[in-house]
Amino acid sequence: QVVGGKVKKPGKRGRKPAKIDLKAKLERSRQSARECRARKKLRYQYLEELVSSRERAICALREELEMYKQWCMAMDQGKIPSEIKALLTGEEQGKAQQNSTKLAKTGKTEANSSNP
């Protein structure tokens, strides 16, 4: 046959339907369903773990918020909580250590630069 200047072959286009064994097809379908259920189960386990970890983080943040509220109420009453005192003295000690380290480093570099 000639259609539009092209030769057309008789028959259907595309893949020819192969005679697939019905039992094999059903087994592949079952296997695919098993794999799908396994993936779904893993996805739900992952999501449940994610939710529980986020819930633990929320609880920890709520406890921290409550602690800060108590600190603020104590400071409003003119009391400085011991934790804040420890933080402040720790920061002062840390700054002093940083300054002494910087001085020691600058002293070494000055000594090295003066000796050619």
Side-chain angles (χ1 to χ4, degrees), residues 25-42:
K25 185 175 181 180
L26 286 173
E27 184 55 37
R28 280 200 312 272
S29 177
R30 288 185 191 113
Q31 181 64 28
S32 177
R34 279 192 291 270
E35 291 170 359
C36 180
R37 287 190 295 270
R39 285 192 304 269
K40 184 177 179 181
K41 185 177 179 181
L42 286 173

Side-chain angles (χ1 to χ4, degrees), residues 21-78:
D21 186 21
L22 188 59
K23 287 184 180 180
K25 185 175 181 180
L26 286 173
E27 184 55 37
R28 280 200 312 272
S29 177
R30 288 185 191 113
Q31 181 64 28
S32 177
R34 279 192 291 270
E35 291 170 359
C36 180
R37 287 190 295 270
R39 285 192 304 269
K40 184 177 179 181
K41 185 177 179 181
L42 286 173
R43 186 170 42 249
Y44 273 90
Q45 285 175 349
Y46 166 74
L47 290 173
E48 286 173 357
E49 290 172 6
L50 189 64
V51 166
S52 64
S53 69
R54 298 288 165 90
E55 286 175 346
R56 285 192 301 271
I58 289 170
C59 288
L61 289 171
R62 284 190 176 143
E63 289 174 4
E64 187 177 355
L65 178 64
E66 189 60 35
M67 177 184 67
Y68 291 142
K69 284 181 181 178
Q70 290 174 358
W71 287 5
C72 289
M73 288 190 309
M75 286 191 285
D76 287 343
Q77 295 172 357

Side-chain angles (χ1 to χ4, degrees), residues 84-99:
I84 294 178
K85 287 181 182 178
L87 285 173
L88 292 173
T89 56
E91 286 179 5
E92 290 171 1
Q93 290 174 354
K95 287 179 183 178
Q97 287 176 352
Q98 287 177 352
N99 288 338

